[in-house]
Amino acid sequence: MTDIESVQKEGRVFEPPQGFRDQAHIKSLAEFRALYDRSIQDPEGFWAEQAKTLVWQKPWSQVLEWKPPFAKWFVGGKLNLSENCLDRHLATWRRNKAAIVWEGEPGETRTLTYLQLHREVCRFANVLKELGVATGDRVGIYMPMIPEAAVAMLACARIGATHSVVFGGFSAEALRDRMNDAQAKVIVTADGAWRRGAVVKLKAAVDAAVPAIPSVKSVVVVKRLGDDIPMSAGRDHWWHELVEAASADCPPVALDSEHPLFILYTSGTTGKPKGVVHTTGGYLLQTALSTKYVFDLKDEDTFWCTADIGWVTGHSYVVFGPLANGATTLMYEGAPNWPEPDRFWKLIAKHRVSIFYTAPTAIRAFIRWGEQWPRKHDLSSLRLLGTVGEPINPEAWMWYHAVIGASRCPIVDTWWQTETGGMMITPIPGAIATKPGSGTLPFFGVVAAVVDKDGKEVPVGDGGYLVIQKPWPSMLRTIYGDPERYAETYWKRFPGIYFTGDGARRDKDGYFWIMGRVDDVINVAGHRLGTAEVESALVSHPRVAEAAVVGRPDELKGQALVAFVTVKQGQQPSDAVRAELKEHVVKEIGAIARPDEIRFSEALPKTRSGKIMRRLLRDIASGKETLGDTTTLEDYSVLAKLREDEE
Ligand code: WTA
């Protein structure tokens, strides 16, 4: 018996359109395979060659030092990330190219060229130095999606301060715990932000948190709103005042390739958040390289990744990856449905966005709101689409492809994690045919496999655990201050092999299909089912926008299958629809996956980055009070509403 049974039967295949292939960096599967094979057969040679695309202040002496589970890449090499993202473009025609195009939620815009961004970064780096921040210190960044957030990240990198961005939607308590763990010396914030037409009071949260963070000596505040806010004398400073007085001359510090670039906290299964540590050389190389090849990025592109800088996607693919490539990256401050559900499409039309990268949770919201919204806008500038964050249901993929991509744009479904730093399993859009719901093949240098509980590879088509068998340049190096937890969490289950925590299967073409987190697997009458496949069957019904399935204890079957379903706008939930959906799942998958219960819900509980929190749904399905950690929950009222609708 295999560990997780796969029941999905998706069979559609989309070849890269010829026009896309012709202009792509990598134009065929053969070309991709040649590079990939080289990256596996001679990883050190491959990465050494790729690393020449970066500027090094001192060459490395050894590409990889691997003492499981601790890796060092480009040992002895010295470089500076901000120099790679900024200074090197100044010697080229890109000096006056737009680096960041920004739009605020109320609609104002700002553009920073590479020259201007470089100047702002240098000045803010000097500000940090004047506040006593030295190489090796930690700086907290708790900011809205405004250009100063990117400036702060790059300024830290310039002087070798390790930044830790905390998502601006997190509470004062969450900020306090993370900053205490990181021992931050300075926190950079703003007087507030706009979100769905309302003001988010960031500085007020900082004021509540800082008295309980002894390490914080100074707070720097960007004036975003201009409201009157209390400033604590000696501790709080206005960004614009400090920057005005600062010199724009700040040479990039030569940092060890393994110098910690950032700490990003991600929630673990136990309450305490994990500080995932990424370092400089390997991280920058893999994010820069994947940005170039996965997005087929060209100088003419306007690239938009909708992630907040509070998530790893915002680090790697809003800021560092695009800037390392000299690209134009769009940053948007606000909500997708403000003032109306077409804001994203309006932005794409206005800024002529050519590459658009978002999350399945956003795509499911778009589907729910209806295709009249994108239809109102000219999306013809788009040439490539991407997704990340969760398995994308094949029907959601098809909608994205048809309605947003006009059946013309390839879709890159990129699998990776905060811990992996950069993309790991992903299509290369001019080379690899895509299948809706599959991340397709591993990226350069990535040795991925699906194994059973003994670590043995499972046969083609069977479900199992997704593991990565060799170290890769942008891998996390440790959990901040807790190397034991690092070893225990990721490297113990399969000794010497990285365990992702995800279930997956591989098809006959070697394509990977992610089946969801293994903690969420449901055991029905001895069959272990991944959540993604059953949910995808539900989402393939024309009435359904979003679905989450969980198990609840059942005397007979071990677990009964409970589905939480959100219908599209204009659809009415009813008992007849319940029966219809159950039959639909039976038809798509088989009787084994027939939901025992279907609950309709206006919304599902999600993390702030948009992932469905099945753990909470499990408690609701079994009638339990929620005892676990709910601090990452986006909207508390969702839980109360969910308890109301019982079949
Ligand atoms: C899930 C986000 C399927 C997966 C970069 C992973 C995905 C977790 C995909 C990491 C994808 C991310 N297909 N599942 N394309 N991308 N995931 O740390 O469960 O926020 O382990 O990093 O999201 O989430 P994280």
Side-chain angles (χ1 to χ4, degrees):
M1 200 187 84
T2 55
D3 286 87
I4 308 172
E5 273 179 63
S6 176
V7 288
Q8 196 172 38
K9 299 170 193 143
E10 176 57 46
R12 291 167 285 203
V13 180
F14 293 82
E15 287 293 333
Q18 194 57 47
F20 193 97
R21 258 191 214 285
D22 291 343
Q23 60 78 56
H25 288 308
I26 303 180
K27 298 176 169 52
S28 69
L29 188 59
E31 202 181 318
F32 167 74
R33 287 245 190 253
L35 276 165
Y36 178 77
D37 289 348
R38 162 106 212 280
S39 77
I40 300 307
Q41 281 149 17
D42 175 20
E44 301 201 16
F46 174 85
W47 287 115
E49 202 167 290
Q50 295 303 327
K52 288 188 199 139
T53 58
L54 301 179
V55 177
W56 294 84
Q57 296 190 14
K58 180 173 168 247
W60 61 88
S61 53
Q62 191 184 344
V63 175
L64 170 66
E65 181 198 291
W66 179 225
K67 295 184 180 152
F70 298 98
K72 288 184 180 167
W73 284 86
F74 307 107
V75 182
K78 287 191 189 293
L79 78 168
N80 185 286
L81 178 135
S82 91
E83 179 179 24
N84 274 280
C85 288
L86 301 169
D87 305 51
R88 65 162 151 164
H89 304 309
L90 301 188
T92 73
W93 65 271
R94 292 191 190 97
R95 68 167 31 223
N96 291 321
K97 177 179 174 173
I100 296 177
V101 175
W102 173 80
E103 185 161 322
E105 195 182 73
E108 69 274 53
T109 58
R110 274 167 70 190
T111 298
L112 286 167
T113 64
Y114 275 93
L115 191 73
Q116 290 166 334
L117 182 60
H118 175 261
R119 184 178 161 80
E120 295 309 314
V121 168
C122 288
R123 295 209 296 178
F124 194 65
N126 280 329
V127 165
L128 290 174
K129 284 195 264 184
E130 276 155 35
L131 292 174
V133 177
T135 303
D137 285 345
R138 270 84 52 218
V139 171
I141 297 179
Y142 182 63
M143 292 179 85
M145 283 293 281
I146 55 177
E148 285 81 358
V151 170
M153 292 162 80
L154 290 160
C156 288
R158 195 159 189 91
I159 61 171
T162 300
H163 63 67
S164 182
V165 182
V166 176
F167 173 55
F170 277 137
S171 64
E173 292 73 35
L175 177 68
R176 180 198 62 205
D177 293 349
R178 288 161 174 75
M179 294 297 92
N180 271 326
D181 189 78
Q183 291 288 293
K185 209 169 191 176
V186 171
I187 292 181
V188 187
T189 188
D191 57 350
W194 288 106
R195 185 76 190 176
R196 221 160 269 138
V199 165
V200 184
K201 294 192 173 137
L202 291 168
K203 175 60 163 53
V206 172
D207 288 340
V210 166
I213 320 171
S215 60
V216 170
K217 302 291 175 252
S218 320
V219 175
V220 183
V221 189
V222 176
K223 198 172 240 176
R224 163 79 188 107
L225 304 177
D227 298 350
D228 241 351
I229 55 160
M231 295 285 278
S232 158
R235 188 196 74 183
D236 299 352
H237 311 271
W238 287 108
W239 170 293
H240 59 273
E241 287 174 4
L242 296 183
V243 159
E244 214 169 297
S247 151
D249 182 21
C250 180
V253 176
L255 297 167
D256 195 276
S257 176
E258 283 300 324
H259 188 75
L261 174 66
F262 66 85
I263 304 169
L264 185 58
Y265 288 87
T266 174
S267 43
T269 36
T270 67
K272 192 176 182 292
K274 297 179 282 198
V276 169
V277 177
H278 282 288
T279 59
T280 307
Y283 169 82
L284 179 63
L285 180 59
Q286 188 160 348
T287 53
L289 196 74
S290 54
T291 304
K292 175 173 172 183
Y293 288 113
V294 175
F295 296 121
D296 189 48
L297 192 64
K298 311 282 165 48
D299 262 316
E300 298 75 22
D301 281 309
T302 298
F303 175 77
W304 184 21
C305 165
T306 66
D308 191 280
I309 45 133
W311 315 124
V312 72
T313 311
H315 286 60
S316 301
Y317 300 107
V318 175
V319 182
F320 301 137
L323 296 178
N325 281 282
T328 298
T329 180
L330 180 78
M331 257 177 111
Y332 166 59
E333 177 187 34
N337 54 349
W338 187 265
E340 299 235 66
D342 63 346
R343 185 61 181 277
F344 276 14
W345 322 125
K346 232 183 193 155
L347 276 152
I348 290 174
K350 175 171 169 189
H351 298 283
R352 307 302 292 159
V353 170
S354 53
I355 304 170
F356 178 66
Y357 187 39
T358 195
T361 182
I363 296 168
R364 295 185 308 248
F366 303 146
I367 295 173
R368 180 143 195 263
W369 296 333
E371 61 183 70
Q372 69 276 18
W373 297 106
R375 295 270 185 236
K376 280 172 57 176
H377 298 277
D378 174 12
L379 304 182
S380 63
S381 57
L382 289 173
R383 66 182 195 89
L384 180 67
L385 304 174
T387 86
V388 59
E390 281 179 293
I392 181 165
N393 314 119
E395 276 335 297
W397 193 102
M398 290 303 296
W399 186 95
Y400 197 30
H401 172 74
V403 179
I404 307 305
S407 307
R408 161 176 52 82
C409 305
I411 297 178
V412 288
D413 172 358
T414 63
W415 178 88
W416 58 292
Q417 307 176 299
T418 303
E419 291 87 344
T420 70
M423 295 164 180
M424 299 293 281
I425 297 177
T426 172
I428 300 292
I432 299 176
T434 52
K435 304 182 188 181
S438 169
T440 74
L441 301 172
F443 187 66
F444 302 136
V446 174
V447 186
V450 180
V451 301
D452 64 18
K453 59 182 184 323
D454 303 318
K456 280 216 301 287
E457 265 194 73
V458 301
V460 168
D462 282 3
Y465 304 102
L466 179 64
V467 296
I468 310 292
Q469 292 170 317
K470 293 273 164 66
W472 62 100
S474 65
M475 66 191 267
L476 80 164
R477 299 302 195 260
T478 190
I479 299 291
Y480 189 69
D482 201 347
E484 273 141 42
R485 189 174 179 196
Y486 164 73
E488 168 87 27
T489 309
Y490 304 107
W491 302 92
K492 200 172 155 204
R493 187 153 184 171
F494 306 107
I497 287 176
Y498 176 81
F499 176 45
T500 65
D502 285 351
R505 83 183 151 94
R506 238 180 147 168
D507 70 17
K508 61 177 187 351
D509 299 321
Y511 280 36
F512 285 82
W513 298 75
I514 307 297
M515 298 163 73
R517 303 288 300 168
V518 295
D519 299 340
D520 291 335
V521 163
I522 305 158
N523 194 335
V524 185
H527 300 274
R528 283 165 54 82
L529 304 176
T531 51
E533 297 188 337
V534 186
E535 289 161 5
S536 288
L538 284 159
V539 173
S540 72
H541 190 283
R543 295 188 203 275
V544 175
E546 187 159 51
V549 303
V550 298
R552 114 166 108 59
D554 181 275
E555 267 181 33
L556 218 56
K557 299 201 282 182
Q559 283 188 313
L561 210 150
V562 181
F564 292 82
V565 169
T566 305
V567 292
K568 288 182 190 163
Q569 259 165 25
Q571 294 290 338
Q572 286 311 318
S574 68
D575 282 343
V577 174
R578 276 198 176 99
E580 203 179 308
L581 294 182
K582 288 181 186 176
E583 279 326 298
H584 181 74
V585 174
V586 172
K587 185 176 108 261
E588 290 290 306
I589 295 180
I592 170 76
R594 177 204 296 271
D596 296 278
E597 189 185 331
I598 290 185
R599 292 194 184 191
F600 292 107
S601 150
E602 275 285 299
L604 297 172
K606 294 187 183 168
T607 64
R608 305 219 166 204
S609 65
K611 293 189 212 303
I612 297 170
M613 294 178 83
R614 293 178 189 75
R615 170 167 66 83
L616 302 183
L617 291 174
R618 272 198 296 274
D619 292 346
I620 292 170
S622 53
K624 273 199 300 211
E625 275 305 308
T626 299
L627 296 173
D629 176 28
T630 54
T631 52
T632 56
L633 184 64
E634 198 211 351
D635 177 1
Y636 286 92
S637 67
V638 168
L639 286 187
K641 284 189 216 132
L642 279 165
R643 291 183 194 281
E644 286 161 17
D645 182 79
E646 255 177 272
E647 187 176 335

